[in-house]
Amino acid sequence: MKRSEFFDSLNRVYGSAYGDSIIHDLVLTEFGSSAWDALEAGADPQTVWAALITETDRDPALIWVHRANRNSRRKPAHSPGLGF
């Protein structure tokens, strides 16, 4: 998971206002800090995301929601007009 996928998933699962609140205010047991602080300290976004899903008692399948986001953004193998 990339940082951009972390934030896309955050907005998708929690909404922008609540998502912004929990990444700054909720202390994740695994890190002893907020998700924001863990990311800023260099923690792996996938590990932070999994901890956030667990701490907020969400469906564990949501740990992989970024893969669904990634699949929906895929471009066709051949792009007309680009000379390929």
Side-chain angles (χ1 to χ4, degrees):
M1 171 181 261
K2 300 174 190 173
R3 281 180 65 109
S4 60
E5 291 173 322
F6 176 93
F7 289 105
D8 287 344
S9 298
L10 183 72
N11 287 332
R12 183 174 178 186
V13 172
Y14 297 99
S16 61
Y18 183 58
D20 187 55
S21 175
I22 63 171
I23 66 165
H24 289 96
D25 299 334
L26 178 67
V27 174
L28 301 174
T29 305
E30 183 173 340
F31 294 98
S33 67
S34 69
W36 179 262
D37 289 339
L39 290 170
E40 290 298 302
D44 174 55
Q46 181 66 54
T47 305
V48 175
W49 180 250
L52 188 61
I53 292 294
T54 300
E55 289 279 340
T56 57
D57 200 30
R58 295 291 176 125
D59 180 353
L62 291 172
I63 291 171
W64 307 110
V65 72
H66 66 286
R67 290 187 178 170
N69 290 346
R70 189 181 300 157
N71 290 338
S72 68
R73 291 187 306 228
R74 285 206 174 142
K75 295 180 177 133
H78 172 66
S79 297
L82 296 178
F84 299 114

Coordinates of all heavy atoms in Angstrom, one line a residue:
M1 N 0.8 -1.2 0.0 CA 0.0 0.0 0.0 C 0.9 1.2 0.0 O 1.8 1.3 0.8 CB -0.9 0.0 1.2 CG -1.7 1.2 1.5 SD -2.7 1.2 3.0 CE -4.3 0.8 2.3
K2 N 0.6 2.1 -0.9 CA 1.3 3.4 -0.9 C 0.5 4.4 0.0 O -0.6 4.2 0.4 CB 1.2 4.0 -2.4 CG 1.9 3.1 -3.4 CD 1.6 3.7 -4.8 CE 2.0 2.8 -5.8 NZ 1.7 3.2 -7.2
R3 N 1.3 5.5 0.4 CA 0.6 6.5 1.2 C -0.6 7.1 0.5 O -1.6 7.3 1.2 CB 1.6 7.6 1.5 CG 2.6 7.3 2.6 CD 3.5 8.4 2.9 NE 2.9 9.6 3.4 CZ 3.0 10.0 4.7 NH1 3.7 9.4 5.5 NH2 2.3 11.1 5.1
S4 N -0.6 7.3 -0.8 CA -1.7 7.8 -1.5 C -2.9 6.8 -1.4 O -4.1 7.3 -1.2 CB -1.4 8.1 -2.9 OG -1.0 7.0 -3.6
E5 N -2.6 5.5 -1.4 CA -3.7 4.5 -1.3 C -4.2 4.5 0.1 O -5.4 4.3 0.3 CB -3.2 3.2 -1.7 CG -2.8 3.0 -3.2 CD -2.2 1.7 -3.5 OE1 -1.3 1.2 -2.7 OE2 -2.5 1.2 -4.6
F6 N -3.4 4.8 1.1 CA -3.8 4.8 2.5 C -4.9 5.9 2.6 O -5.9 5.7 3.2 CB -2.6 5.1 3.4 CG -3.0 5.3 4.8 CD1 -3.0 4.3 5.7 CD2 -3.4 6.6 5.3 CE1 -3.3 4.4 7.1 CE2 -3.8 6.7 6.6 CZ -3.7 5.7 7.5
F7 N -4.6 7.1 2.1 CA -5.5 8.2 2.2 C -6.7 8.1 1.4 O -7.8 8.5 1.8 CB -4.8 9.6 2.0 CG -3.8 9.9 3.1 CD1 -2.5 9.8 2.9 CD2 -4.3 10.3 4.3 CE1 -1.6 10.1 3.9 CE2 -3.4 10.6 5.4 CZ -2.0 10.5 5.2
D8 N -6.6 7.5 0.2 CA -7.8 7.2 -0.6 C -8.7 6.2 0.2 O -9.9 6.4 0.2 CB -7.4 6.5 -1.9 CG -6.8 7.5 -2.9 OD1 -6.9 8.7 -2.7 OD2 -6.2 7.1 -3.9
S9 N -8.1 5.2 0.8 CA -8.9 4.2 1.5 C -9.5 4.8 2.7 O -10.7 4.5 3.1 CB -8.0 3.0 1.9 OG -7.5 2.4 0.7
L10 N -8.8 5.7 3.4 CA -9.3 6.3 4.6 C -10.6 7.1 4.3 O -11.6 7.0 5.0 CB -8.2 7.3 5.1 CG -8.6 8.1 6.4 CD1 -8.5 7.1 7.6 CD2 -7.6 9.2 6.6
N11 N -10.5 7.8 3.2 CA -11.7 8.6 2.8 C -12.9 7.7 2.3 O -14.0 7.9 2.6 CB -11.4 9.6 1.6 CG -10.6 10.7 2.1 OD1 -10.7 11.1 3.3 ND2 -9.8 11.3 1.2
R12 N -12.5 6.6 1.7 CA -13.6 5.6 1.2 C -14.2 4.9 2.4 O -15.4 4.8 2.4 CB -12.9 4.6 0.3 CG -13.9 3.7 -0.3 CD -13.2 2.8 -1.3 NE -14.1 1.8 -1.8 CZ -13.8 0.8 -2.6 NH1 -12.6 0.7 -3.0 NH2 -14.7 0.0 -3.0
V13 N -13.5 4.5 3.4 CA -14.0 3.7 4.5 C -14.6 4.6 5.6 O -15.7 4.3 6.1 CB -12.9 2.8 5.1 CG1 -13.4 2.1 6.4 CG2 -12.5 1.8 4.0
Y14 N -14.0 5.7 5.9 CA -14.4 6.5 7.1 C -15.0 7.9 6.7 O -15.6 8.5 7.5 CB -13.2 6.8 8.0 CG -12.6 5.5 8.6 CD1 -11.5 4.9 8.1 CD2 -13.2 4.9 9.7 CE1 -10.9 3.8 8.6 CE2 -12.7 3.8 10.3 CZ -11.6 3.2 9.7 OH -11.0 2.1 10.3
G15 N -14.8 8.3 5.4 CA -15.3 9.6 5.0 C -14.2 10.6 5.4 O -13.4 10.4 6.2
S16 N -14.2 11.8 4.7 CA -13.1 12.7 4.9 C -13.1 13.3 6.3 O -12.0 13.4 6.8 CB -13.2 13.8 3.8 OG -14.4 14.5 3.9
A17 N -14.2 13.8 6.8 CA -14.1 14.4 8.1 C -13.8 13.5 9.3 O -12.9 13.7 10.1 CB -15.5 15.1 8.4
Y18 N -14.5 12.3 9.3 CA -14.2 11.3 10.4 C -12.8 10.7 10.2 O -12.0 10.6 11.1 CB -15.2 10.3 10.4 CG -15.0 9.3 11.5 CD1 -15.0 9.7 12.9 CD2 -14.9 7.9 11.3 CE1 -14.8 8.8 13.9 CE2 -14.7 7.0 12.3 CZ -14.7 7.4 13.6 OH -14.5 6.5 14.6
G19 N -12.4 10.5 8.9 CA -11.1 9.9 8.7 C -10.0 10.9 9.1 O -9.0 10.4 9.8
D20 N -10.1 12.1 8.8 CA -9.2 13.1 9.3 C -9.1 13.2 10.8 O -8.0 13.3 11.4 CB -9.5 14.5 8.7 CG -8.4 15.5 9.0 OD1 -7.3 15.3 8.6 OD2 -8.7 16.6 9.6
S21 N -10.2 13.0 11.4 CA -10.2 13.1 12.9 C -9.5 11.8 13.5 O -8.6 12.0 14.4 CB -11.7 13.1 13.4 OG -11.7 13.0 14.8
I22 N -9.8 10.7 13.0 CA -9.3 9.5 13.7 C -7.8 9.3 13.4 O -7.1 8.8 14.2 CB -10.0 8.2 13.3 CG1 -10.0 7.8 11.9 CG2 -11.4 8.2 13.9 CD1 -10.5 6.5 11.5
I23 N -7.3 9.7 12.2 CA -5.8 9.5 12.0 C -5.0 10.5 12.9 O -3.8 10.2 13.1 CB -5.4 9.7 10.5 CG1 -5.6 11.0 10.0 CG2 -6.1 8.6 9.7 CD1 -4.9 11.3 8.7
H24 N -5.6 11.6 13.3 CA -4.9 12.5 14.2 C -5.1 12.2 15.7 O -4.3 12.5 16.5 CB -5.2 13.9 13.9 CG -4.7 14.4 12.6 ND1 -5.4 14.3 11.4 CD2 -3.4 14.8 12.2 CE1 -4.6 14.7 10.4 NE2 -3.4 15.1 10.9
D25 N -6.3 11.8 16.0 CA -6.7 11.7 17.4 C -6.7 10.3 18.1 O -6.5 10.2 19.3 CB -8.2 12.2 17.6 CG -8.3 13.7 17.2 OD1 -7.2 14.4 17.3 OD2 -9.4 14.1 16.8
L26 N -6.9 9.3 17.3 CA -7.0 7.9 17.8 C -5.6 7.4 18.0 O -4.8 7.3 17.0 CB -7.8 7.0 16.9 CG -7.9 5.5 17.3 CD1 -8.7 5.4 18.6 CD2 -8.5 4.7 16.2
V27 N -5.2 6.9 19.2 CA -3.9 6.3 19.5 C -4.0 4.8 19.1 O -4.8 4.1 19.7 CB -3.5 6.6 20.9 CG1 -2.2 5.8 21.2 CG2 -3.3 8.0 21.2
L28 N -3.2 4.4 18.2 CA -3.2 3.0 17.8 C -2.3 2.2 18.8 O -1.1 2.6 19.0 CB -2.6 2.8 16.4 CG -3.4 3.6 15.3 CD1 -2.7 3.5 14.0 CD2 -4.8 3.0 15.2
T29 N -2.8 1.2 19.4 CA -2.1 0.4 20.4 C -0.8 -0.1 19.9 O 0.3 0.0 20.6 CB -3.0 -0.7 20.9 OG1 -4.2 -0.2 21.4 CG2 -2.3 -1.5 22.0
E30 N -0.8 -0.6 18.7 CA 0.4 -1.2 18.1 C 1.6 -0.2 18.0 O 2.7 -0.6 18.0 CB 0.1 -1.7 16.7 CG 1.2 -2.4 16.0 CD 0.8 -3.1 14.7 OE1 -0.4 -3.3 14.5 OE2 1.7 -3.3 13.9
F31 N 1.2 1.1 17.8 CA 2.3 2.1 17.6 C 2.5 3.0 18.8 O 3.5 3.7 18.9 CB 2.0 2.9 16.4 CG 2.0 2.2 15.1 CD1 0.9 1.7 14.5 CD2 3.3 1.9 14.5 CE1 0.9 0.9 13.4 CE2 3.3 1.2 13.3 CZ 2.2 0.7 12.7
G32 N 1.5 3.1 19.7 CA 1.5 4.0 20.8 C 1.4 5.5 20.3 O 1.9 6.4 21.1
S33 N 0.9 5.7 19.2 CA 0.7 7.0 18.6 C -0.4 7.0 17.6 O -1.0 5.9 17.3 CB 2.0 7.4 17.9 OG 2.2 6.7 16.7
S34 N -0.7 8.2 17.1 CA -1.8 8.2 16.1 C -1.3 7.7 14.8 O -0.1 7.5 14.6 CB -2.2 9.7 15.9 OG -1.2 10.4 15.2
A35 N -2.2 7.4 13.9 CA -1.9 6.9 12.6 C -1.0 7.9 11.8 O 0.0 7.6 11.2 CB -3.1 6.5 11.8
W36 N -1.4 9.2 12.0 CA -0.6 10.2 11.3 C 0.8 10.2 11.8 O 1.8 10.3 11.0 CB -1.3 11.6 11.6 CG -0.5 12.7 11.0 CD1 0.4 13.5 11.6 CD2 -0.6 13.1 9.6 NE1 0.8 14.5 10.7 CE2 0.3 14.2 9.5 CE3 -1.3 12.7 8.5 CZ2 0.5 14.9 8.3 CZ3 -1.1 13.4 7.3 CH2 -0.3 14.4 7.2
D37 N 1.0 10.2 13.1 CA 2.4 10.2 13.7 C 3.1 9.0 13.3 O 4.3 9.0 13.0 CB 2.3 10.3 15.2 CG 1.9 11.7 15.7 OD1 2.0 12.6 14.9 OD2 1.4 11.8 16.8
A38 N 2.5 7.8 13.2 CA 3.1 6.6 12.8 C 3.6 6.7 11.4 O 4.8 6.3 11.0 CB 2.2 5.4 13.0
L39 N 2.8 7.2 10.5 CA 3.2 7.4 9.1 C 4.3 8.4 9.0 O 5.3 8.2 8.2 CB 2.0 7.9 8.3 CG 0.9 6.9 8.0 CD1 -0.4 7.6 7.4 CD2 1.3 5.7 7.1
E40 N 4.2 9.5 9.7 CA 5.3 10.5 9.7 C 6.6 10.0 10.2 O 7.7 10.4 9.8 CB 4.9 11.8 10.5 CG 3.8 12.6 9.8 CD 4.2 13.1 8.4 OE1 5.2 13.8 8.4 OE2 3.5 12.8 7.4
A41 N 6.6 9.0 11.1 CA 7.8 8.4 11.6 C 8.3 7.3 10.7 O 9.3 6.7 11.0 CB 7.5 7.8 13.0
G42 N 7.6 7.0 9.6 CA 8.1 6.1 8.6 C 7.5 4.7 8.6 O 8.0 3.8 8.0
A43 N 6.5 4.5 9.4 CA 5.8 3.2 9.5 C 5.2 2.9 8.1 O 4.8 3.7 7.4 CB 4.7 3.2 10.6
D44 N 5.2 1.6 7.9 CA 4.6 1.1 6.6 C 3.1 1.4 6.6 O 2.3 1.1 7.5 CB 4.8 -0.4 6.6 CG 4.1 -1.1 5.4 OD1 4.3 -0.7 4.3 OD2 3.3 -2.0 5.6
P45 N 2.6 2.1 5.5 CA 1.2 2.4 5.5 C 0.2 1.2 5.6 O -0.8 1.3 6.2 CB 1.1 3.1 4.1 CG 2.4 3.6 3.8 CD 3.4 2.6 4.4
Q46 N 0.6 0.1 5.0 CA -0.3 -1.1 5.1 C -0.4 -1.5 6.6 O -1.5 -1.9 7.0 CB 0.3 -2.2 4.3 CG -0.6 -3.5 4.3 CD -2.0 -3.3 3.7 OE1 -2.1 -2.9 2.6 NE2 -3.0 -3.6 4.4
T47 N 0.7 -1.5 7.3 CA 0.6 -1.9 8.7 C -0.2 -0.9 9.6 O -1.0 -1.3 10.4 CB 2.1 -2.0 9.3 OG1 2.8 -2.9 8.5 CG2 2.1 -2.5 10.7
V48 N 0.0 0.4 9.3 CA -0.8 1.4 10.0 C -2.3 1.2 9.6 O -3.2 1.3 10.5 CB -0.3 2.8 9.6 CG1 -1.2 3.9 10.2 CG2 1.1 3.0 10.0
W49 N -2.6 1.0 8.3 CA -4.0 0.8 7.9 C -4.6 -0.4 8.6 O -5.7 -0.3 9.1 CB -4.0 0.6 6.4 CG -5.4 0.4 5.9 CD1 -5.9 -0.7 5.4 CD2 -6.5 1.4 5.9 NE1 -7.3 -0.5 5.0 CE2 -7.6 0.7 5.3 CE3 -6.6 2.7 6.3 CZ2 -8.8 1.4 5.2 CZ3 -7.8 3.3 6.1 CH2 -8.9 2.7 5.6
A50 N -3.9 -1.5 8.7 CA -4.4 -2.7 9.4 C -4.7 -2.4 10.8 O -5.7 -2.8 11.4 CB -3.4 -3.9 9.2
A51 N -3.8 -1.7 11.5 CA -4.0 -1.3 12.9 C -5.2 -0.4 13.0 O -6.0 -0.6 14.0 CB -2.7 -0.6 13.4
L52 N -5.4 0.5 12.1 CA -6.5 1.4 12.2 C -7.9 0.6 12.0 O -8.8 0.8 12.8 CB -6.4 2.5 11.1 CG -7.4 3.6 11.1 CD1 -7.3 4.4 12.4 CD2 -7.2 4.5 9.9
I53 N -7.9 -0.3 11.1 CA -9.1 -1.1 10.9 C -9.4 -1.9 12.1 O -10.5 -2.0 12.6 CB -8.9 -2.0 9.6 CG1 -8.9 -1.2 8.3 CG2 -10.0 -3.1 9.6 CD1 -10.2 -0.5 8.0
T54 N -8.3 -2.5 12.7 CA -8.5 -3.3 13.9 C -9.0 -2.5 15.1 O -9.9 -2.9 15.8 CB -7.2 -4.0 14.3 OG1 -6.8 -4.9 13.2 CG2 -7.3 -4.9 15.5
E55 N -8.3 -1.3 15.3 CA -8.7 -0.5 16.5 C -10.1 0.1 16.4 O -10.7 0.3 17.4 CB -7.7 0.7 16.5 CG -6.3 0.3 17.0 CD -6.2 0.2 18.5 OE1 -7.0 0.7 19.3 OE2 -5.2 -0.5 18.9
T56 N -10.6 0.3 15.2 CA -11.9 0.8 15.0 C -13.0 -0.3 14.8 O -14.1 0.0 14.5 CB -12.0 1.8 13.8 OG1 -11.6 1.2 12.6 CG2 -11.1 3.0 14.1
D57 N -12.6 -1.5 15.0 CA -13.5 -2.7 14.9 C -14.2 -2.8 13.6 O -15.4 -3.0 13.6 CB -14.4 -2.7 16.1 CG -15.0 -4.0 16.4 OD1 -14.4 -5.0 16.1 OD2 -16.1 -4.1 16.9
R58 N -13.6 -2.5 12.5 CA -14.2 -2.6 11.2 C -14.0 -4.0 10.6 O -13.2 -4.8 11.1 CB -13.5 -1.6 10.2 CG -13.8 -0.2 10.6 CD -15.3 0.2 10.4 NE -15.6 1.5 10.8 CZ -16.1 2.4 10.0 NH1 -16.5 2.2 8.8 NH2 -16.4 3.7 10.5
D59 N -14.7 -4.3 9.6 CA -14.6 -5.6 8.9 C -13.1 -5.8 8.5 O -12.6 -5.0 7.8 CB -15.5 -5.6 7.7 CG -15.5 -6.9 6.9 OD1 -14.7 -7.8 7.2 OD2 -16.3 -7.0 6.0
P60 N -12.5 -6.9 8.9 CA -11.1 -7.2 8.6 C -10.9 -7.2 7.1 O -9.8 -7.0 6.6 CB -10.8 -8.6 9.2 CG -11.8 -8.7 10.3 CD -13.0 -7.9 9.9
A61 N -11.9 -7.5 6.3 CA -11.7 -7.5 4.8 C -11.3 -6.1 4.3 O -10.7 -6.0 3.2 CB -13.0 -8.0 4.1
L62 N -11.7 -5.1 5.1 CA -11.3 -3.7 4.6 C -9.8 -3.4 4.7 O -9.4 -2.4 4.1 CB -12.1 -2.7 5.5 CG -13.6 -2.6 5.3 CD1 -14.2 -1.7 6.4 CD2 -13.9 -2.2 3.9
I63 N -9.1 -4.3 5.3 CA -7.6 -4.1 5.2 C -7.1 -4.1 3.8 O -6.1 -3.4 3.5 CB -6.9 -5.3 6.0 CG1 -7.2 -5.1 7.5 CG2 -5.4 -5.3 5.8 CD1 -6.8 -6.2 8.4
W64 N -7.8 -4.7 2.9 CA -7.4 -4.8 1.5 C -8.2 -3.9 0.6 O -8.2 -4.1 -0.6 CB -7.5 -6.3 1.1 CG -6.7 -7.1 2.0 CD1 -7.2 -8.1 2.9 CD2 -5.3 -7.1 2.2 NE1 -6.2 -8.6 3.6 CE2 -5.0 -8.1 3.2 CE3 -4.2 -6.4 1.6 CZ2 -3.7 -8.3 3.7 CZ3 -2.9 -6.7 2.1 CH2 -2.7 -7.6 3.1
V65 N -9.0 -3.0 1.1 CA -9.8 -2.1 0.3 C -9.0 -1.4 -0.8 O -9.6 -1.1 -1.9 CB -10.7 -1.2 1.1 CG1 -9.8 -0.1 1.7 CG2 -11.8 -0.6 0.3
H66 N -7.8 -1.1 -0.5 CA -7.0 -0.4 -1.5 C -6.8 -1.2 -2.8 O -6.6 -0.6 -3.9 CB -5.6 0.0 -0.9 CG -4.7 -1.1 -0.6 ND1 -4.9 -1.9 0.5 CD2 -3.6 -1.5 -1.3 CE1 -4.0 -2.8 0.5 NE2 -3.2 -2.6 -0.6
R67 N -6.8 -2.5 -2.7 CA -6.7 -3.3 -3.9 C -7.9 -3.1 -4.8 O -7.8 -3.1 -6.0 CB -6.5 -4.8 -3.6 CG -5.2 -5.0 -2.9 CD -4.9 -6.4 -2.7 NE -3.5 -6.6 -2.2 CZ -3.1 -7.7 -1.7 NH1 -3.9 -8.8 -1.8 NH2 -1.9 -7.8 -1.3
A68 N -9.1 -3.0 -4.2 CA -10.3 -2.7 -5.0 C -10.2 -1.3 -5.7 O -10.6 -1.1 -6.8 CB -11.5 -2.8 -4.2
N69 N -9.6 -0.3 -4.9 CA -9.4 1.0 -5.5 C -8.5 0.9 -6.7 O -8.7 1.5 -7.7 CB -8.8 1.9 -4.5 CG -9.8 2.3 -3.4 OD1 -11.0 2.1 -3.5 ND2 -9.2 2.8 -2.3
R70 N -7.4 0.1 -6.5 CA -6.4 0.0 -7.6 C -7.0 -0.6 -8.8 O -6.7 -0.2 -9.9 CB -5.2 -0.8 -7.0 CG -4.0 -0.9 -7.9 CD -2.9 -1.7 -7.4 NE -2.5 -1.3 -6.0 CZ -1.9 -2.0 -5.2 NH1 -1.6 -3.3 -5.4 NH2 -1.5 -1.6 -4.0
N71 N -7.8 -1.6 -8.7 CA -8.4 -2.3 -9.8 C -9.3 -1.4 -10.5 O -9.5 -1.5 -11.8 CB -9.1 -3.6 -9.4 CG -8.1 -4.7 -8.9 OD1 -6.9 -4.6 -9.3 ND2 -8.6 -5.6 -8.1
S72 N -10.0 -0.5 -9.8 CA -11.0 0.3 -10.5 C -10.3 1.5 -11.3 O -10.9 2.1 -12.1 CB -12.0 0.9 -9.5 OG -11.3 1.8 -8.6
R73 N -9.0 1.7 -11.0 CA -8.3 2.8 -11.7 C -7.5 2.3 -12.8 O -6.8 3.0 -13.5 CB -7.4 3.5 -10.7 CG -8.2 4.3 -9.7 CD -7.2 5.1 -8.9 NE -6.2 4.3 -8.3 CZ -5.8 4.3 -7.1 NH1 -6.3 5.1 -6.2 NH2 -4.8 3.5 -6.6
R74 N -7.4 1.0 -13.1 CA -6.6 0.4 -14.1 C -7.0 0.9 -15.5 O -8.1 1.1 -15.8 CB -6.7 -1.1 -14.1 CG -5.9 -1.7 -13.0 CD -5.4 -3.1 -13.3 NE -4.6 -3.5 -12.2 CZ -4.6 -4.7 -11.7 NH1 -5.3 -5.6 -12.2 NH2 -3.8 -5.0 -10.7
K75 N -6.0 1.2 -16.3 CA -6.2 1.7 -17.6 C -6.1 0.5 -18.6 O -5.4 -0.4 -18.3 CB -5.2 2.8 -17.9 CG -5.3 4.0 -17.1 CD -4.3 5.0 -17.4 CE -4.5 6.2 -16.5 NZ -3.4 6.8 -15.9
P76 N -6.7 0.7 -19.7 CA -6.6 -0.4 -20.7 C -5.1 -0.5 -21.2 O -4.4 0.4 -21.2 CB -7.5 0.0 -21.9 CG -7.9 1.4 -21.6 CD -7.5 1.7 -20.2
A77 N -4.8 -1.8 -21.6 CA -3.4 -2.0 -22.0 C -3.0 -1.2 -23.2 O -1.9 -0.8 -23.4 CB -3.3 -3.5 -22.3
H78 N -4.0 -0.9 -24.1 CA -3.8 -0.1 -25.3 C -4.5 1.2 -25.2 O -5.7 1.2 -25.0 CB -4.2 -0.9 -26.5 CG -4.2 -0.2 -27.8 ND1 -3.0 0.3 -28.3 CD2 -5.2 0.3 -28.6 CE1 -3.3 0.9 -29.5 NE2 -4.6 1.0 -29.6
S79 N -3.8 2.3 -25.3 CA -4.5 3.6 -25.3 C -4.5 4.2 -26.7 O -3.4 4.5 -27.2 CB -3.7 4.5 -24.4 OG -3.8 4.0 -23.1
P80 N -5.6 4.2 -27.4 CA -5.7 4.8 -28.7 C -5.1 6.2 -28.8 O -5.3 7.0 -27.8 CB -7.2 4.8 -29.0 CG -7.8 3.9 -28.0 CD -6.9 3.9 -26.8
G81 N -4.5 6.5 -29.8 CA -4.0 7.9 -30.0 C -2.6 8.2 -29.4 O -2.1 9.2 -29.6
L82 N -2.0 7.2 -28.7 CA -0.7 7.4 -28.1 C 0.4 6.8 -28.9 O 1.5 6.7 -28.5 CB -0.7 6.9 -26.7 CG -1.7 7.6 -25.7 CD1 -1.6 7.0 -24.3 CD2 -1.3 9.1 -25.6
G83 N 0.1 6.2 -30.1 CA 1.1 5.6 -30.9 C 1.6 4.2 -30.5 O 2.6 3.8 -30.9
F84 N 0.8 3.5 -29.7 CA 1.2 2.2 -29.2 C 0.5 1.1 -30.0 O -0.6 1.2 -30.4 CB 0.8 1.9 -27.7 CG 1.5 2.9 -26.8 CD1 0.8 3.8 -26.1 CD2 2.9 2.9 -26.7 CE1 1.4 4.7 -25.2 CE2 3.5 3.7 -25.8 CZ 2.8 4.6 -25.1

